[in-house]
């Protein structure tokens, strides 16, 4: 570690992964929230709260927390990711996107059906100049634990 930055996120969540590209670090705040107080009330420590939205912090690797670019979008979830890289002032992030988090309840206590919410390989493209996010589904096959050809790492 040659540098550390501290910043506040919009809420406490299960941040299963983060990403480092040549010039940036990305942190995804997805609405699978983390709350110890719920355990004391007999509820799940993790809960799906889609009303919070999804928020992505993009930090220049040689900048600091005040340089964060925030991208806000509709709720989604991804436990596992394949790769992140930069190309033409854009960041591409390949993820196993689900419309909501499987395995954990929402506020009503309902756990979503995996059959209805199975992850699919999706490419998120972050346009850093326009501060916009676009996405395209790369494959319609329900799947998890993506891998890339490590001979090209």
């Amino acid at each position: 570690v040659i540098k550390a930055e501290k910043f506040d996120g919009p809420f406490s969540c299960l941040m299963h992964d983060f990403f480092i590209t040549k010039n940036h670090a990305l942190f995804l705040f997805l609405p699978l929230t983390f709350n110890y107080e719920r355990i004391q009330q007999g509820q799940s420590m993790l809960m799906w709260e889609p009303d919070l939205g999804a928020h992505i912090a993009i930090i220049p690797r040689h900048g600091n927390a005040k340089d964060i670019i925030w991208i806000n979008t509709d709720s989604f979830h991804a436990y596992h990711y394949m790769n992140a890289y930069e190309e033409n002032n854009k960041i591409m992030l390949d993820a196993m996107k689900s419309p909501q988090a499987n395995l954990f309840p929402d506020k009503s206590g309902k756990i979503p059906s995996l059959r209805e919410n199975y992850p699919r390989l999706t490419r998120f493209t972050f346009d850093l100049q326009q501060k916009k996010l676009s996405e395209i589904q790369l494959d319609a096959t329900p799947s998890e634990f993506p891998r890339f050809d490590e001979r090209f790492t």
Side-chain angles (χ1 to χ4, degrees):
V1 176
I2 58 171
K3 183 176 181 168
E5 289 291 322
K6 185 176 181 178
F7 67 97
D8 292 325
F11 47 81
S12 178
C13 66
L14 174 68
M15 191 172 294
H16 196 56
D17 214 341
F18 70 96
F19 313 93
I20 299 173
T21 65
K22 182 177 180 180
N23 299 301
H24 296 87
L26 287 79
F27 300 91
L28 280 70
F29 293 86
L30 305 178
L32 182 56
T33 62
F34 193 85
N35 185 325
Y36 283 116
E37 294 171 5
R38 284 195 291 252
I39 294 174
Q40 296 170 343
Q41 300 167 2
Q43 298 176 340
S44 176
M45 178 174 58
L46 292 166
M47 184 177 290
W48 177 245
E49 296 190 67
D51 294 344
L52 296 173
H55 310 272
I56 298 97
I58 302 174
I59 304 172
R61 287 184 64 191
H62 302 292
N64 56 49
K66 71 176 175 46
D67 299 320
I68 291 175
I69 297 169
W70 283 99
I71 305 281
N72 303 314
T73 191
D74 294 334
S75 293
F76 71 91
H77 193 71
Y79 286 110
H80 301 113
Y81 301 83
M82 186 164 60
N83 197 15
Y85 61 95
E86 293 183 41
E87 194 173 273
N88 301 324
N89 207 31
K90 295 179 181 176
I91 299 172
M92 273 58 81
L93 172 63
D94 296 337
M96 300 310 300
K97 180 188 178 197
S98 299
Q100 63 188 69
N102 298 313
L103 307 175
F104 297 99
D106 61 17
K107 287 182 180 181
S108 71
K110 181 182 176 197
I111 296 176
S113 165
L114 181 60
R115 188 174 308 272
E116 296 169 7
N117 294 293
Y118 217 92
R120 288 173 172 78
L121 184 59
T122 303
R123 174 164 294 155
F124 295 95
T125 300
F126 301 93
D127 184 320
L128 299 177
Q129 289 181 325
Q130 296 185 20
K131 298 181 182 177
K132 289 188 177 180
L133 168 66
S134 61
E135 66 179 79
I136 184 169
Q137 186 175 298
L138 298 177
D139 191 80
T141 307
S143 54
E144 257 301 6
F145 302 104
R147 297 291 304 246
F148 58 88
D149 188 339
E150 293 183 12
R151 292 175 298 176
F152 297 99
T153 299

